[in-house]
Amino acid sequence: MKGYGGRILFVDCSTGASRVEALGESTARALLGGNGLAARLLYDHVPPGIDAFDPLNAVVFAVGPITDTTVPGNSRALVAAKSPLTGLFFDSTFGGRWPATLKRTGFDAVVLIGRAATPSYVVVDESGARLEPATALWGRSTRDTVNALLAAEGADVDAIAIGPAGEKRVRFAALAHYWKNREAVSGRGGLGAVLGSKNVKAVVVKGARKTEIADAAALKALLEETREPLKKGTAALSTFGTPFLVGPINALGALGSFNLRREVFDQARVIGGESMKEHYHDRDTTCLKCPVACGKQYAITAGEFAGTRAKMPEYESIFALGPMLGIAEPEALILANDLCDLLGLDTISMGVTLAFVCEALERGWLSEKDVGVPFGWGDWRGMLRLVEMTARREGFGDRLAEGAWRLAESVHPEGTRLVYAVKRLELPAHSARALKGLSIGYATATRGGSHHDTRPTPQYAPTFDRRSTADKPAFAARSQHFTAVGDSLVLCRFTSERGFGLFVDEPYARMVRAVTGWDVSAAELESIGERIVNLERLFNVREGVRRAADTLPWKVMHEPIPDGPSAGMHCPPDELAAMLDAYYAVRGWDPDGVPTATRLKALGLVNP
Ligand code: SF4
């Protein structure tokens, strides 16, 4: 098969044994790779109803046919498991160089099951896998761990590691990969905690296999045609990184602040991309062979934190650790973001969980004695302390480590009304109230509060009617197909959206035809996206998800945005119910949100 290694590696961490299975062409064409392949593997290998920390849970690392080709943004991989936060199917992608190196091992997916008896790391090379002791690395930061592994295994390897948070099974623990030109984080869903529950500190990859392309000339022609739109579309990302979004989204009245009390933030300018670049930009960083270089390294040159060098906080991290907490101190955001990366924490879940704490403190549902340190709106020193306590489950950090939803349940009978989460996953920085496409998108997302199921990007276009619910269920479904296909190829979202289009269409079909040689149409790709979404839904249905779970945060349904350009917007329960009816009809699911036999048959999922 062109575009594939054609092999899947299964590693039993309990015994160290591994085995190889062939990836059949029919499976590859039905699911592409990455997301689709991970959904298949988790559906087939994770028994229903188990705890996410059960050794029977599996962690899948997967790449796709586009990985390690010449397509911009091709060095992207995906981690998937049953999430300890949502208890459902979850996948999260990351860049850097690790993804291309995994592809060079000749394995399209690596499946880790079991639990090592002692702290270990996994090395995957072209011949298979071995487990090595990692006791000396336990307790160390993600960056220290990766650097130690490069020293031990050689500079040509790549490593991704968990930090103390993953070891302590913090339900939103992340994984981080460091390469000289880019730091990359797989942040969401607590997949780092699943790895930690397996006593696996890191996964190291080493390989030199080349990805064969069916029609190099056709791929070259496509890339030449898309070079200019890509360059133009990514100009702001190249210049400022994702923080460039702070200004325009705040201007739209869609930047959540003070735990959603408002959706404007008066001090947005000082934490936006332009100002951050002016004061802190040190150098650009980029994933392997990507011309965009949306990553930035920052340096603080004066004041209390002079000498600090750290990765730029992404837009999502700025939202969660900044406006949501009433914090407008850019250096605090740089420090908090770096701390989360080093300790291995998802910045979005961390910030949104702390935002709940701020409001609960204000209401008297929590006291300073409960929290153990002074904290409240705008208190960035308290935030930094609580981030550390969370990663190590110290004191109140042990409760924060459970995520906003579980913490709120333990705090007050109405605690969850203050939580900005869907399916217990804290929401990111794209408004569930000001963008109706995201109201239905979040409610129906496999992962819950994720902006990588239904995409916000098309909804920010001036021509997009973000206020009306008309056609939004169909929009959400189509956008979910797009993200499922993109994460199965596996492509960076920034390069794909801006270079090849916001929905599955002919450019993607041309890309897949050129790489694989299959005579794939855009319609077939759309149907692959639908198949993957349905497979994920089947996983979740098996875990008990029905219509009642496809809901929105209480504030989104009951508290209109109070002021600013989106004043009055929210998604009341009857409006959500009408959109859900329409969405299930588009999907061919029954009124309770369960895929029907007819639609499953049409998608080739008769015997899932
Ligand atoms: S656009 Fe940014 S995240 Fe995407 S591949 Fe390029 S450098 Fe990496």
Side-chain angles (χ1 to χ4, degrees):
M1 273 191 299
K2 305 292 186 196
Y4 291 88
R7 302 185 303 165
I8 301 170
L9 179 66
F10 291 82
V11 184
D12 185 342
C13 300
S14 303
T15 62
S18 59
R19 66 185 168 84
V20 178
E21 275 185 16
L23 171 64
E25 187 156 2
S26 59
T27 303
R29 186 154 176 175
L31 299 164
L32 297 174
N35 180 178
L37 186 54
R40 179 83 265 169
L41 289 165
L42 289 178
Y43 191 91
D44 290 347
H45 293 279
V46 176
I50 60 160
D51 188 84
F53 297 138
D54 190 302
L56 291 173
N57 196 3
V59 179
V60 177
F61 291 85
V63 288
I66 304 304
T67 315
D68 205 27
T69 63
T70 51
V71 177
N74 72 77
S75 185
R76 196 117 196 131
L78 169 134
V79 196
K82 182 177 191 180
S83 161
L85 203 53
T86 66
L88 305 173
F89 176 85
F90 209 100
D91 56 329
S92 175
T93 67
F94 64 97
R97 191 179 71 171
W98 194 101
T101 308
L102 171 59
K103 185 75 175 279
R104 292 171 191 179
T105 66
F107 294 109
D108 300 300
V110 178
V111 185
L112 305 182
I113 55 162
R115 175 180 297 152
T118 53
S120 306
Y121 67 90
V122 179
V123 182
V124 177
D125 63 20
E126 292 174 47
S127 62
R130 61 183 155 88
L131 257 63
E132 295 289 339
T135 310
L137 299 172
W138 212 246
R140 292 173 71 177
S141 75
T142 53
R143 188 187 296 148
D144 279 359
T145 302
V146 167
N147 288 340
L149 289 172
L150 299 192
E153 297 285 343
D156 57 337
V157 310
D158 282 301
I160 187 162
I162 60 169
E167 298 168 15
K168 297 280 186 191
R169 301 184 186 182
V170 175
R171 289 187 187 272
F172 48 92
L175 296 83
H177 153 57
Y178 299 82
W179 172 53
K180 65 180 169 43
N181 291 340
R182 178 82 198 199
E183 175 183 334
V185 178
S186 168
R188 305 233 66 201
L191 305 180
V194 183
L195 212 57
S197 76
K198 299 192 172 305
N199 264 332
V200 172
K201 179 70 177 169
V203 179
V204 174
V205 285
K206 179 180 183 176
R209 289 196 184 193
K210 288 208 172 353
T211 296
E212 286 183 30
I213 305 288
D215 189 343
L219 187 61
K220 191 164 177 239
L222 173 68
L223 299 187
E224 270 167 16
E225 278 174 44
T226 48
R227 184 166 291 124
E228 271 314 304
L230 178 67
K231 195 171 171 197
K232 206 166 153 224
T234 54
L237 275 172
S238 291
T239 310
F240 304 110
T242 54
F244 88 88
L245 290 166
V246 171
I249 293 177
N250 189 53
L252 207 64
L255 179 63
S257 62
F258 295 93
N259 198 33
L260 267 278
R261 184 166 299 161
R262 301 181 69 202
E263 298 221 16
V264 285
F265 190 58
D266 296 336
Q267 299 101 314
R269 198 189 56 76
V270 297
I271 54 168
E274 294 82 350
S275 177
M276 294 284 249
K277 173 157 181 153
E278 184 187 337
H279 292 99
Y280 305 110
H281 182 269
D282 180 36
R283 70 181 179 102
D284 293 343
T285 60
T286 199
C287 302
L288 185 68
K289 290 191 254 173
C290 175
V292 178
C294 76
K296 314 291 163 203
Q297 192 73 15
Y298 281 178
I300 302 175
T301 54
E304 184 180 349
F305 303 108
T308 301
R309 298 169 75 84
K311 174 175 166 275
M312 164 199 81
E314 301 289 350
Y315 166 65
E316 306 297 337
S317 311
I318 290 174
F319 148 81
L321 299 166
M324 279 292 271
L325 303 177
I327 290 173
E329 174 52 59
E331 292 177 13
L333 299 185
I334 296 170
L335 295 174
N337 182 65
D338 193 42
L339 202 51
C340 285
D341 288 354
L342 294 173
L343 297 170
L345 288 165
D346 173 22
T347 53
I348 299 174
S349 289
M350 185 74 253
V352 173
T353 302
L354 290 174
F356 163 78
V357 173
C358 285
E359 193 165 349
L361 280 165
E362 191 177 63
R363 289 183 181 225
W365 293 358
L366 282 170
S367 67
E368 187 178 317
K369 190 160 163 282
D370 293 324
V371 177
V373 296
F375 186 54
W377 303 118
D379 183 352
W380 58 268
R381 288 188 195 273
M383 165 182 69
L384 294 174
R385 183 73 193 103
L386 288 168
V387 168
E388 288 197 29
M389 287 165 64
T390 303
R392 303 188 197 284
R393 283 189 178 267
E394 283 171 20
F396 187 68
D398 192 37
R399 294 175 71 188
L400 290 167
E402 293 296 295
W405 190 268
R406 289 175 175 82
L407 171 64
E409 283 179 323
S410 75
V411 161
H412 190 275
E414 291 187 352
T416 56
R417 289 190 173 192
L418 305 187
V419 172
Y420 196 39
V422 171
K423 295 186 172 71
R424 298 192 284 199
L425 180 74
E426 295 80 4
L427 263 71
H430 304 279
S431 177
R433 294 189 289 199
L435 304 168
K436 295 289 186 191
L438 273 182
S439 305
I440 184 65
Y442 286 130
T444 57
T446 299
R447 290 174 281 205
S450 163
H451 59 299
H452 284 286
D453 287 57
T454 295
R455 288 295 290 154
T457 313
Q459 304 178 59
Y460 290 128
T463 48
F464 189 92
D465 181 2
R466 68 186 174 94
R467 295 174 184 272
S468 147
T469 57
D471 302 331
K472 296 307 184 293
F475 161 80
R478 200 159 172 233
S479 186
Q480 289 164 356
H481 299 167
F482 164 76
T483 54
V485 167
D487 291 345
S488 300
L489 288 174
V490 178
L491 268 173
C492 166
R493 194 86 68 222
F494 299 149
T495 52
S496 70
E497 285 187 336
R498 289 159 177 86
F500 304 94
L502 296 162
F503 297 94
V504 173
D505 220 328
E506 188 54 22
Y508 293 99
R510 283 177 66 188
M511 189 190 292
V512 177
R513 285 199 295 269
V515 170
T516 64
W518 298 327
D519 184 23
V520 169
S521 65
E524 181 179 340
L525 278 188
E526 184 83 28
S527 147
I528 291 171
E530 186 180 0
R531 181 178 300 121
I532 295 165
V533 170
N534 275 269
L535 192 47
E536 292 176 349
R537 183 71 175 187
L538 287 172
F539 185 102
N540 286 358
V541 163
R542 199 169 65 171
E543 298 296 333
V545 165
R546 298 289 184 277
R547 183 187 181 105
D550 293 342
T551 189
L552 287 167
W554 193 89
K555 287 189 183 200
V556 172
M557 293 192 289
H558 299 281
E559 290 184 1
I561 298 175
D563 60 358
S566 298
M569 290 189 74
H570 67 311
C571 184
D574 57 345
E575 184 178 290
L576 175 62
M579 282 202 283
L580 277 178
D581 287 340
Y583 176 89
Y584 294 155
V586 165
R587 285 243 166 272
W589 294 355
D590 74 15
D592 208 21
V594 177
T596 57
T598 313
R599 185 56 66 101
L600 292 178
K601 190 173 174 207
L603 292 169
L605 292 171
V606 181
N607 297 308

